[in-house]
Amino acid sequence: MDPETSTPLAFQTYFDRKVYIPVDSTDTQFSRDCEILNELATQGGEWIVRDIKGSTWIVAVTKAASQPQVYEYDRVSKQYSLLFDTRPELRNVALHPTRLIETVSTFDGTPVFGFLTVPRTKQGSSDELTSEVLPLVVDVHQGPAYKPDYFACNPLHQLLAERGYAVFAPMYRGSPTFGRKVQLTAEGMFGRPVQQDILESTDSIQWTIDNKVADPSKIACHGQSYGGHISTVTATQNPTLYRGLINMTGPSDIRGSIRLLGIDVESEEGKNLLRTHSAVSNAATFKTPVLLAHGGLDHPVRLGTGEALAKGMEGSEDAAEAVFVLFPNEGHGFYHANNVLAYGGIVEAFLAKYLGGRVESCAEDVASSTAEFRIGGVLV
């Protein structure tokens, strides 16, 4: 947008990565600028202009397998030069590549896709995605109407790949990438078609098995918010699928959501939804080891709804291990640096216990955070 006249200059499309398209295609100079900078970020990510007036632009670029960088771009010569790295400590660190998986084969033909990150040392040949089958972590994004920028060097995916895991992030229906029509197919469905996208389509978990990426006996799931809810529900309906489950700030009790839709929880419809889509209803027999992490200041998903599953599993001889960790000063997501480090360490300790990946001690990080293990054993 022009900073002086507020006239739109370009719009952004976002499928696998963000691309800017000029509004006025007859403005050949601006169109060429967009073309060059889109190409600069071609490995994934986006570019953002800090000063759109004048002949020199300061451009921030994000990419999948490198840190964000800032360039100087000369609109006259159409040349750009690197000014600085935003994370110079990562300058000589080889990060793990992320690729778009663009197959289309859902149960009803709705297009979905996903992003796959694998350890750089486990890259396969031209015909193979990996050199061997790997333990897999499925990362289900929040939303559903939320599009994470997985091509922008995702910290969690990089950490897990460094520990030896493949990471698959499905872009299920409801994700805004597919347009409003497909996005609305998930509305009011409590994730029912979303679960099928993740479980049954050849774009998701089954795809990673069929293509010899994932060891089917070593699969775990991580989800935040709505993604955490979907993760627990898929584990409820498929108790032998995951070796471990991580639910970050996601609800495990959806009675409140059912009431918001005007459904009586005591009606036959309400009881059926609770039985099939509210994990807490099956807590006493929940077969998947689970790590639940929550913020004490979380307003979208109240503490009680997140803690309910762990409480229900605690003490049951028929349920798997449950660990509930609280970060009292966090909300619907973790943002304090000490807590982010602690959460990452707790996640890798949990995954190492059930999937056998590499792990480093995070006892000091946890000790310097606000983490409180309220239910279950201390993992670090």
Side-chain angles (χ1 to χ4, degrees), residues 17 25 55 75 140-141 148 161 189 202 215 220 225 229 243 253 256 262 294 305 326 328 333 339 360:
R17 64 187 180 95
S25 59
S55 61
R75 297 191 69 199
V140 186
H141 72 74
M189 298 298 291
T202 55
D215 179 343
S225 188
H229 160 67
R243 290 288 300 276
D253 185 349
H294 219 84
T305 65
L326 174 69
N339 291 337
E360 292 184 7

Side-chain angles (χ1 to χ4, degrees), residues 227-238:
H229 160 67
I230 290 297
S231 301
T232 54
V233 172
T234 55
T236 299
Q237 299 177 352
N238 301 268

